[in-house]
Amino acid sequence: MKYNFDEEVNRLGTNSVKWDNCKQIFGRDDIIPMWVADTDFKAPGEVIEGIKKRADHGIFGYTYRADSFNQSIKSWLKKRHGWEIDKEWITFSPGIVPALSLCVNTFTNPGDKVIIQTPIYPPFRSVVEGNGRTIIDNELSYEGNSYHMDLDNLKRQITDHNGEFDYRVKMILLCSPHNPTGRVWRIEELIELGKICTEHNIIIVSDEIHSDIVYKNHKHIPIASLSEEVANSTITCISPSKSFSLAGLATSAIIIPNKKMRSLFNNALETSHIGGGNIFGNIALEEAYNNGEEWLDELLIYLEGNLDYTINYFNEKIPQIKPIRSEGTYLVWLDCSKLGLKGSELMNFFTNKARVGVNPGNNFSRKNTDFVRLNIGCTKKTLNEALKRIEKAVKEMILQ
Ligand SMILES: Cc1ncc(COP(=O)(O)O)c(C=O)c1O
């Protein structure tokens, strides 16, 4: 391997949400943080050099995004995901969550219904409810050891009591690949979902922030790449932030083929004055997409090694916890139902007995009180230490 992902980088003292906030989040600072979706790897050298070079210039006045910014996104989507886009479809958001919120506000009205598929990354719920819209929860089905879209149930949920389409259903927030289950949606699921949405003029907002972290034998398909019809109803949100350790640079790209929708989105960006972006984020995105491919390919090998290690570790040494094998993302959804602990008891176990910081399952779905989400985007050493701590805590609990 050309790149050394085993390098231990001390992130303490950098105002890292993941590392420096443990006391505030978990009530103690002696935990290994395996929670927020943020990795412990240094960004590719080209990104760091690009930022340093620009920093050396010393003047950081207003700048605009050059054509090269859009070109890097266009080339990346073509080479990594086989999706041919027009540069003019590309617009901007400082983050994906702000874009989701902007979409809800721009394309729906208070009281309208927005579909989400739980368990789901918590802001999907809060951007809908916080903006006074109503959730339709098209819960994923959990069969065996895997999650699937329940599209028959979705069809029922968007039908009113007269058997007619409920015209208040205006949008779906799709998470593709899916956080927290790590599912990479199959083409059949996406085609069927696209069909339902286009038939009923339901806007698809597809959060594809995790699309560059997909493991062997799986392929991410941008839903907008399925057909012109689906593309015309879809807003796709991407960012190099998760894959290239750039989340703090607050730079993402929003792709809207439909001219009218794009103009409405851009008006909303302008009205809230959040479309400017920042110099370093723009440079980082371009460097990552233009020069980061080899680095990313090696990162994927490293992460898949972490994933295999994690799955084997639980299966062999901690069978009381069942990991769902992620097909994409560096997040692992853990079914802890056999531990016999739920909600705050389960969190107390991970925080105070194992001393590993995880995300509680009930943040993703009110039902998943006996699940937690583990972030394996760290060095093998950190991962091994965390797994050992969990194993020890489980064994001690069983012996009690
Ligand atoms: C599915 C998903 N969307 C969005 C985000 C956050 O995106 P941003 O920081 O760009 O708002 C995350 C971060 O964990 C995520 O998992």
Side-chain angles (χ1 to χ4, degrees):
M1 293 259 267
K2 181 169 162 191
Y3 302 98
N4 178 18
F5 296 105
D6 284 324
E7 184 186 352
E8 298 284 330
V9 183
N10 181 5
R11 299 182 65 189
L12 289 170
T14 61
N15 293 347
S16 156
V17 167
K18 185 181 182 185
W19 284 84
D20 286 316
N21 255 358
C22 288
K23 180 104 180 139
Q24 196 189 330
I25 302 286
F26 298 100
R28 56 194 300 162
D29 46 24
D30 60 348
I31 63 153
I32 301 180
M34 310 282 279
W35 61 296
V36 61
D38 174 316
T39 67
D40 296 333
F41 309 115
K42 269 192 189 169
E46 288 83 353
V47 172
I48 298 169
E49 285 312 310
I51 290 174
K52 276 186 183 164
K53 195 167 154 215
R54 185 62 184 83
D56 280 344
H57 181 265
I59 299 176
F60 311 113
Y62 296 119
T63 51
Y64 57 87
R65 285 177 293 279
D67 180 63
S68 57
F69 179 86
N70 290 347
Q71 184 57 47
S72 70
I73 294 165
K74 179 179 162 74
S75 308
W76 183 257
L77 288 172
K78 173 88 170 83
K79 70 184 164 192
R80 297 300 288 193
H81 304 299
W83 185 24
E84 189 87 63
I85 66 161
D86 276 1
K87 279 188 279 186
E88 65 177 29
W89 298 351
I90 301 169
T91 177
F92 174 81
S93 170
I96 303 283
V97 174
L100 300 181
S101 186
L102 216 55
C103 286
V104 168
N105 265 313
T106 307
F107 300 107
T108 70
N109 291 308
D112 281 348
K113 297 184 178 179
V114 178
I115 304 157
I116 60 170
Q117 294 174 306
T118 61
I120 190 72
Y121 174 59
F124 275 52
R125 180 178 287 280
S126 60
V127 296
V128 177
E129 290 179 339
N131 284 312
R133 276 61 166 174
T134 305
I135 296 266
I136 292 190
D137 183 358
N138 178 227
E139 204 180 308
L140 298 175
S141 69
Y142 178 41
E143 284 156 23
N145 210 14
S146 171
Y147 282 86
H148 304 267
M149 288 191 201
D150 189 347
L151 296 176
D152 287 335
N153 188 36
L154 178 61
K155 286 181 203 156
R156 280 192 292 277
Q157 286 177 298
I158 60 173
T159 306
D160 67 16
H161 49 271
N162 297 320
E164 301 288 328
F165 170 66
D166 178 351
Y167 67 92
R168 286 167 305 178
V169 183
K170 295 283 165 50
M171 177 175 282
I172 178 167
L173 302 182
L174 174 68
C175 191
S176 176
H178 191 262
N179 171 5
T181 65
R183 186 75 201 285
V184 175
W185 303 116
R186 303 291 185 272
I187 190 159
E188 298 78 20
E189 284 167 307
L190 294 171
I191 289 177
E192 180 65 13
L193 181 67
K195 190 163 159 267
I196 296 170
C197 292
T198 48
E199 255 172 37
H200 299 296
N201 293 324
I202 298 171
I203 294 174
I204 304 167
V205 179
S206 188
D207 174 344
E208 305 191 3
I209 195 169
H210 293 284
S211 55
D212 294 320
I213 310 282
V214 168
Y215 301 118
K216 269 198 309 279
N217 304 325
H218 296 285
K219 184 164 170 38
H220 167 73
I221 300 162
I223 189 164
S225 70
L226 291 177
S227 69
E228 209 179 312
E229 203 188 0
V230 175
N232 256 315
S233 309
T234 301
I235 294 165
T236 305
C237 309
I238 61 159
S239 173
S241 58
K242 296 287 151 195
S243 15
F244 292 96
S245 301
L246 306 175
L249 289 171
T251 301
S252 50
I254 311 302
I255 298 149
I256 314 179
N258 182 311
K259 200 171 171 186
K260 190 164 162 221
M261 278 167 46
R262 190 167 64 244
S263 142
L264 286 168
F265 184 89
N266 282 338
N267 279 345
L269 261 188
E270 274 165 34
T271 319
S272 19
H273 298 270
I274 55 167
N278 74 83
I279 298 171
F280 296 117
N282 297 343
I283 291 170
L285 178 143
E286 276 192 50
E287 286 293 345
Y289 285 164
N290 289 339
N291 301 311
E293 198 171 18
E294 194 189 6
W295 181 94
L296 180 67
D297 284 337
E298 285 200 8
L299 174 72
L300 288 175
I301 296 170
Y302 191 88
L303 287 176
E304 189 146 13
N306 277 4
L307 180 63
D308 289 337
Y309 186 76
T310 305
I311 304 282
N312 291 338
Y313 201 105
F314 279 111
N315 290 345
E316 287 165 18
K317 298 188 181 159
I318 326 173
Q320 296 81 357
I321 297 178
K322 191 167 84 171
I324 311 299
R325 192 180 171 94
S326 308
E327 300 169 350
T329 81
Y330 41 76
L331 308 167
V332 185
W333 189 227
L334 301 177
D335 181 345
C336 304
S337 49
K338 283 198 192 145
L339 286 182
L341 301 172
K342 280 182 186 294
S344 55
E345 278 177 356
L346 184 61
M347 279 309 283
N348 180 47
F349 170 80
F350 275 96
T351 304
N352 296 316
K353 301 285 189 258
R355 288 177 299 117
V356 174
V358 292
N359 294 86
N362 50 1
N363 280 4
F364 300 84
S365 154
R366 284 164 196 158
K367 269 178 71 175
N368 286 115
T369 52
D370 43 13
F371 281 68
V372 298
R373 193 192 72 178
L374 184 78
N375 173 357
I376 59 165
C378 58
T379 63
K380 288 209 161 50
K381 186 165 170 245
T382 303
L383 177 63
N384 191 39
E385 174 63 22
L387 292 172
K388 276 206 306 214
R389 286 190 187 188
I390 299 171
E391 180 189 4
K392 186 163 172 281
V394 170
K395 291 202 166 129
E396 280 170 4
M397 187 174 74
I398 291 168
L399 287 176
Q400 268 174 11

